[in-house]
Amino acid sequence: MSDSAWRSCISETDGGVDNVTWSPDSRHLLVLHQFSIFITIWAVEFATQMFVKNPKGNLYRFSGDGKYLAVIERTECNDYVAVLSTRTWKLTSHFKLPTIDAAGFEWSPSNLELCIWDHMFEHRLYIYSLDGSCLFTHEVKKPISMGLQCVAWSPCGQYIALGTHTHYLYLINRTNRKVAGEMLIPESVSGKAVQYYREEHNAVSGNTIAERLQSQPEHKFQVVTDDFIDMKFIDIVVKKKSSTKTNDNVKEKRVKKYGITGIKWSHDSSHLAVLDASNPNTISVWNIAGKSITAALEFVHNPRTFAWHPHLLRLIIATGDNSVSMWEYDGCWIIELPAECSVNVNHTNWSSDGNALLLSAKDSFCIGFLE
């Protein structure tokens, strides 16, 4: 940024590119090639390159302090973990996993451990140190049709939240390695026990063009206090044909679709924001101490992204339009972006001090400041 005339161009001749990622030091680019053949690590200033072979798709993450890069590799039907130092880009450890088909992993808040989970038909996760020692293994005991779908490590490092396809949310205590809580996303809640907010987006009113131009559309949250509030789980219909000699009958079996697809911890590990794909237009906020829902936020459009403030109990949600929603214990509000800022927000990211918020779309972005 200090030299506005400086430019660099990277040309990859071996097939296409699937993904490009900056390293934490902003001096290297990681280029994932099509079909996950390898990752090229480019030193932007010196135009030198290094390679990581056989990466398993997008399963590579930098540690929180930026000192290490962990990559899950797939070789001869086996999963491996490669840990590289970002100072020298040399391999510090390489070990084999017992997984059948590793689906994902997360760094611990201490940046000293990796939490790795198996594919959707398995119910196991593993905690490994960076030298390849398996610290412990956990398997969900309760029978579920499919395995883990998403995992999130709490900022304090004590709890690991597990989201499943069957709407169960498990809390694993990292210290004693036991289940600290088991919660089920409910199909209905009471507005007297839960803060329930429903987004309303009313169109402009008026009989004439002048009246309609002067009228402002009403965009706000309504507080719902009904005793029974349907969480509106979506069903999909699976049709089965059973043929007989006389006629053909079509039987319909209704099954729940997907499950928990997004988990985000608050900065103090006291709350969880959860998105369930079977109820895709609602974010539920859970109190960890009480193992109960504190608030439910129902939107007109499905949430695209949500993020907690780094220092406050404040949640920001974007649904792909020109506004963002903010939840706190005191209430829930919709913040309209200025007219000159035409960004249909699909991604949000707080600055480290929490004073600024990056709002971005596919081809545009803006930075907001909350007063």
Side-chain angles (χ1 to χ4, degrees), residues 26-312:
S26 301
R27 297 179 182 274
H28 296 80
L29 275 175
L30 278 66
V31 180
L32 175 64
H33 291 252
Q34 269 190 339
F35 312 113
S36 300
I37 300 173
F38 53 85
I39 296 173
T40 306
I41 303 172
W42 287 90
V44 178
E45 289 182 299
F46 307 105
T48 57
Q49 56 183 337
M50 294 148 284
F51 301 96
V52 178
K53 295 182 179 180
N54 305 313
K56 192 171 183 179
N58 290 317
L59 296 185
Y60 55 96
R61 308 275 190 278
F62 287 99
S63 59
D65 56 10
K67 293 182 179 180
Y68 297 100
L69 170 68
V71 183
I72 292 187
E73 304 172 343
R74 185 74 173 178
T75 305
E76 297 179 351
C77 299
N78 292 308
D79 292 323
Y80 296 84
V81 173
V83 180
L84 295 87
S85 167
T86 57
R87 187 174 63 86
T88 61
W89 295 106
K90 291 184 179 179
L91 196 67
T92 61
S93 64
H94 190 265
F95 51 91
K96 185 179 178 181
L97 295 174
T99 53
I100 296 175
D101 186 10
F105 76 97
E106 289 286 341
W107 282 92
S108 69
S110 66
N111 304 306
L112 298 176
E113 298 173 352
L114 295 171
C115 176
I116 304 164
W117 60 95
D118 220 331
H119 73 116
M120 61 186 296
F121 294 112
E122 298 294 327
H123 310 148
R124 290 185 295 272
L125 65 83
Y126 308 87
I127 304 295
Y128 276 86
S129 62
L130 297 189
D131 62 2
S133 302
C134 185
L135 303 179
F136 83 88
T137 302
H138 177 80
E139 183 171 0
V140 178
K141 299 297 183 181
K142 189 169 184 175
I144 54 178
S145 59
M146 293 184 181
L148 306 176
Q149 183 154 247
C150 56
V151 176
W153 210 317
S154 66
C156 68
Q158 183 177 1
Y159 298 107
I160 303 172
L162 315 178
T164 69
H165 289 78
T166 49
H167 320 294
Y168 275 96
L169 180 66
Y170 297 93
L171 292 180
I172 308 300
N173 191 315
R174 171 63 185 86
T175 305
N176 59 23
R177 307 180 184 183
K178 295 181 180 180
V179 178
E182 177 184 315
M183 296 162 281
L184 176 65
I185 305 296
E187 297 191 17
S188 64
V189 295
S190 169
K192 292 180 172 58
V194 173
Q195 297 179 15
Y196 197 98
Y197 298 96
R198 179 174 293 152
E199 181 185 10
E200 289 187 340
H201 200 166
N202 299 324
V204 295
S205 60
N207 296 323
T208 65
I209 295 178
E211 290 176 347
R212 293 177 66 85
L213 289 174
Q214 292 178 358
S215 174
Q216 294 294 327
E218 191 176 20
H219 195 188
K220 63 178 183 179
F221 278 102
Q222 176 192 7
V223 179
V224 183
T225 58
D226 298 345
D227 287 329
F228 178 86
I229 303 173
D230 187 3
M231 294 284 277
K232 300 177 182 177
F233 272 56
I234 295 175
D235 291 345
I236 58 174
V237 177
V238 179
K239 294 184 177 180
K240 290 185 177 181
K241 291 185 177 180
S242 58
S243 300
T244 62
K245 292 182 179 180
T246 57
N247 60 353
D248 290 342
N249 297 322
V250 177
K251 295 182 178 179
E252 291 188 357
K253 182 182 179 182
R254 303 185 70 82
V255 295
K256 293 289 171 62
K257 182 182 180 182
Y258 304 122
I260 298 172
T261 55
I263 304 173
K264 296 287 180 68
W265 285 93
S266 62
H267 74 285
D268 57 358
S269 304
S270 65
H271 289 74
L272 271 175
V274 179
L275 176 64
D276 193 306
S278 302
N279 186 14
N281 67 332
T282 301
I283 297 282
S284 57
V285 180
W286 290 75
N287 183 301
I288 299 305
K291 308 294 188 300
S292 59
I293 292 183
T294 297
L297 319 175
E298 181 184 329
F299 298 89
V300 174
H301 303 292
N302 295 348
R304 303 290 183 87
T305 182
F306 54 102
W308 287 99
H309 190 281
H311 307 296
L312 301 174

